[in-house]
Amino acid sequence: MTASLDQLRRCTVAVDLGPSRTRVYLKNTGIIVDEPSMAAVDCRSGSLVAVGDDAAHMVGRTPEHIRVVRPVVGGTVVNIDMAQRMLRALIGDKLSKAWRFKPVLRAAVCVPHGSEPLAQRASIETLAGLGARRVELIDALVAAAVGCGLPVELPEATMIVMSGAATTQVAVLSLGSIVAAETIPVGRDIMDRAVIQHLRNHHALMIPGQEVHPLHQMLDADGTAIRSTEVHGMDAASGLARSVLVDSESVRMAVRTPMNAVLDGLRSVLRRCPPDLVADLADRGITLAGSSAPMPGLDTMLRTTTGMPVQIAENPDDCAVRGLGAMLEGRVRPVAFDPMR
């Protein structure tokens, strides 16, 4: 699935179609698009009303005839036509120079590790519909590791935990390839839904998704003092506005199950690795990437469970597309081995 570096250096554009944000990297220019993977559609006429940030502001606030859709779910394009329309609107005329000087446009796209051939085909058709004559696929874990600055090309173990909106991917890499990897269907959205369900079950309170984000700050793993915060929402029985006081311990209880699933996946990857690589990781540790990497308490939980050092990448949100851009620009060189005679 992963294209060679020679093939990637012929590409002009790198695309990361994520479930939360879409990012486009133009060779020798940088990131030209970084907006939410959302589109607002008028159901009466089928016309596109808004995309990106404008569409994200409409979530939960639209009339019946306007629907906000996500053409990418879990890193997989589920609506090719809508994904093409969204990309075309987001890119606009930002690729005009690339189109003019590269009549046969080559593009590279990140795909989740272990994705099905049908999902890979959907990503290819999405970019082909925009005019790309050839589309190269690259494993998102490899691209993210390169974007984090990890020496993936060396014969040493590097471990990356890429926690996004819908999934968490864990991998150990060496010599530019994945030694062992696991995809856990747990991300920030799953944790948000767990907190929302907890508030509904225990407080009969319904809250919008935006109200969950301040509660993440209560997930610092020291647990020395029980803090509380006021949450505003709608009463599930009467439908009236109501506020409740939520403490940090109840938030931790709500996300304990999805957090444990991430830990189980990490242990599974370590068990499948050779002992020499695991010994390398004891010193080098784990690198956290993805949009959920800065979530308070996640790095402390991994450090406590594994006993390994854990560091958060410098730019965890866009490390995948930056890593793919580095491959396009030839800034990644594989280790050259002389054949034995």
Side-chain angles (χ1 to χ4, degrees):
M1 178 183 66
T2 300
S4 68
L5 290 176
D6 289 336
Q7 292 172 323
L8 290 175
R9 279 194 287 269
R10 298 189 183 100
C11 296
T12 307
V13 180
V15 180
D16 180 16
L17 283 170
S20 59
R21 299 187 73 85
T22 293
R23 298 176 176 91
V24 180
Y25 188 102
L26 183 59
K27 189 175 183 179
N28 299 323
T29 301
I31 297 177
I32 59 174
V33 172
D34 184 0
E35 296 201 37
S37 302
M38 294 184 184
V41 184
D42 189 332
C43 298
R44 296 172 179 171
S45 61
S47 60
L48 210 59
V49 177
V51 295
D53 289 320
D54 294 335
H57 293 321
M58 297 181 181
V59 175
R61 297 179 173 88
T62 59
E64 291 185 358
H65 67 280
I66 294 180
R67 189 163 56 98
V68 180
V69 297
R70 292 177 178 266
V72 184
V73 177
T76 301
V77 179
V78 296
N79 190 330
I80 296 176
D81 177 66
M82 188 56 62
Q84 290 175 349
R85 296 173 67 186
M86 179 189 73
L87 270 175
R88 193 175 289 112
L90 288 174
I91 293 173
D93 59 351
K94 297 175 183 177
L95 285 180
S96 57
K97 293 183 180 179
W99 284 91
R100 186 162 56 249
F101 296 111
K102 294 282 185 180
V104 182
L105 183 68
R106 288 175 179 249
V109 61
C110 295
V111 292
H113 177 75
S115 57
E116 299 292 333
L118 190 62
Q120 298 175 20
R121 186 64 187 173
S123 298
I124 293 174
E125 289 186 6
T126 299
L127 295 183
L130 296 179
R133 297 296 182 264
R134 183 178 177 88
V135 180
E136 306 291 353
L137 301 179
I138 185 74
D139 197 303
L141 286 170
V142 176
V146 172
C148 293
L150 298 178
V152 296
E153 70 278 3
L154 299 179
E156 301 174 3
T158 55
M159 189 172 195
I160 183 169
V161 176
M162 191 174 178
S163 183
T167 60
T168 297
Q169 301 179 73
V170 184
V172 174
L173 302 96
S174 179
L175 285 174
S177 300
I178 294 177
V179 178
E182 188 84 14
T183 300
I184 305 104
V186 173
R188 187 184 62 250
D189 292 347
I190 303 298
M191 297 182 187
D192 289 351
R193 284 199 288 269
V195 175
I196 291 173
Q197 192 62 39
H198 173 82
L199 292 176
R200 177 161 186 161
N201 293 342
H202 292 80
H203 300 281
L205 186 73
M206 301 173 62
I207 64 171
Q210 295 88 342
E211 289 291 327
V212 183
H213 298 158
L215 297 178
H216 292 166
Q217 304 303 320
M218 304 170 65
L219 290 174
D220 53 350
D222 54 7
T224 54
I226 301 298
R227 297 179 299 160
S228 59
T229 185
E230 193 175 26
V231 179
H232 306 281
M234 183 180 71
D235 188 89
S238 64
L240 300 177
R242 186 163 66 91
S243 301
V244 298
L245 210 60
V246 180
D247 59 72
S248 58
E249 187 61 29
S250 64
V251 177
R252 289 196 193 95
M253 288 289 294
V255 301
R256 179 171 298 175
T257 298
M259 286 284 194
N260 286 338
V262 174
L263 293 177
D264 291 341
L266 190 145
R267 294 190 191 100
S268 174
V269 170
L270 290 176
R271 282 195 296 267
R272 301 203 304 269
C273 288
D276 291 341
L277 293 183
V278 178
D280 289 345
L281 294 174
D283 297 328
R284 178 160 292 164
I286 303 170
T287 301
L288 265 176
S291 58
S292 301
M295 180 179 291
L298 181 58
D299 56 339
T300 308
M301 180 195 67
L302 295 178
R303 189 179 301 112
T304 303
T305 303
T306 63
M308 300 177 184
V310 178
Q311 60 271 355
I312 300 176
E314 185 176 352
N315 296 302
D317 290 348
D318 55 12
C319 57
V321 73
R322 289 190 182 276
L324 191 50
M327 296 180 191
L328 264 62
E329 295 171 355
R331 288 185 273 131
V332 180
R333 299 287 181 181
V335 176
F337 294 101
D338 292 330
M340 297 182 66
R341 299 184 185 278

